[in-house]
């Protein structure tokens, strides 16, 4: 069964600093997609970044980048130059191949300290 | 990006009543929508996959007679919580899938989430 694990329930980072959120997953598939979603206090889920498993290059979106280690089944999110608006719950998600269903991790609450 | 709306954003009802939640894709057609449930400080749990023009597919443990899903058009899916009880109080989120094809024919699908509906059953 596919599972997604986020081992850090809560993280804190100083404004303008860099923080890395961890995510590991378990799957027997070779082709899949991984995502990081942000859920601010408004509860609106916002896509932060996406990674295709067949791509070796790590995805990057402005201040957000991932470290995708396929063999280790690891998919961490790095946030550079952290801003107060980055404070939110961050969910790692895996897309089940062929079904379009997402499996979400338990989330990491990120606090940004001024 | 694409916009998905939900209505109502918040609802309070008495135990035993039914509540309908609407999920609309505002600027695109969604053949597939998903309904999630999120308990406080927990992750999103997929309840069912809603397919336009056909029956929904429910996840294991989700009562289909309790959570009625209708996807009558390409822009609207509804979730009806029948005979709601306090344990049904939760945050319900829908998402809509947009399949995208790259020039190489590889699907790069994206899901857009609605803002959620908070249900409180007294």
């Amino acid at each position: 069964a596919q599972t997604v694990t986020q081992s850090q329930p809560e993280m804190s980072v100083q404004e303008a600093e860099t923080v890395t959120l961890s995510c590991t997953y378990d799957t027997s598939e070779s082709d899949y997609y991984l995502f990081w979603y942000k859920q601010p206090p408004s509860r609106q889920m916002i896509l932060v970044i996406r990674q295709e498993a067949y791509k070796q290059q790590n995805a990057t979106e402005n201040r957000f980048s991932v470290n995708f280690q396929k063999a280790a089944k690891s998919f961490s999110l790095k946030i550079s130059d952290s801003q107060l608006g980055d404070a939110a719950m961050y969910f790692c998600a895996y897309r089940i191949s062929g079904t379009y269903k997402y499996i979400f991790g338990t989330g990491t609450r990120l606090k940004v300290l001024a | 990006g694409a916009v998905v709306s939900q209505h109502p954003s918040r609802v309070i009802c008495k135990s035993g009543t039914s509540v309908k939640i609407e999920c609309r894709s505002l600027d695109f057609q969604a053949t597939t929508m998903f309904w999630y449930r999120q308990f406080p400080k927990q992750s999103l749990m997929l309840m069912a996959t809603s397919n336009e023009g056909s029956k929904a597919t429910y996840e294991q443990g989700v009562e289909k007679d309790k959570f009625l899903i209708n996807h009558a058009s390409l822009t609207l899916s509804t979730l009806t919580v029948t005979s709601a009880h306090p344990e049904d109080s939760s945050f319900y989120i829908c998402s809509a899938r947009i399949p995208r094809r790259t020039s190489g024919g590889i699907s790069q699908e994206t899901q857009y989430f609605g803002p959620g509906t908070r249900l409180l059953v007294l």
Side-chain angles (χ1 to χ4, degrees), chain B residues 42-87:
Chain B
Q42 294 189 26
S43 186
L44 282 71
M45 299 299 295
L46 180 65
M47 298 175 65
T49 302
S50 173
N51 299 296
E52 188 269 335
S54 64
K55 291 183 178 180
T57 304
Y58 290 83
E59 295 300 300
Q60 190 173 8
V62 177
E63 300 176 58
K64 61 180 181 180
D65 294 330
K66 172 78 172 176
F67 299 98
L68 300 179
I69 291 174
N70 184 281
H71 195 156
S73 77
L74 288 171
T75 59
L76 174 64
S77 175
T78 61
L79 169 68
T80 301
V81 183
T82 62
S83 186
H85 288 93
E87 58 266 29

Side-chain angles (χ1 to χ4, degrees), chain B residues 9-41:
Chain B
S9 59
R10 184 176 300 185
V11 57
I12 301 173
C13 69
K14 293 182 178 180
S15 183
T17 61
S18 294
V19 175
K20 180 186 285 187
I21 303 170
E22 294 183 347
C23 176
R24 293 182 184 273
S25 55
L26 298 184
D27 51 0
F28 65 97
Q29 294 182 331
T31 56
T32 306
M33 292 184 174
F34 304 87
W35 287 97
Y36 294 85
R37 183 173 181 175
Q38 185 180 29
F39 289 106
K41 299 184 179 180

Side-chain angles (χ1 to χ4, degrees), chain B residues 83-103:
Chain B
S83 186
H85 288 93
E87 58 266 29
D88 298 324
S89 298
S90 188
F91 194 67
Y92 293 87
I93 304 175
C94 73
S95 71
R97 168 186 165 250
I98 300 179
R100 288 179 179 169
R101 299 280 171 182
T102 66
S103 59

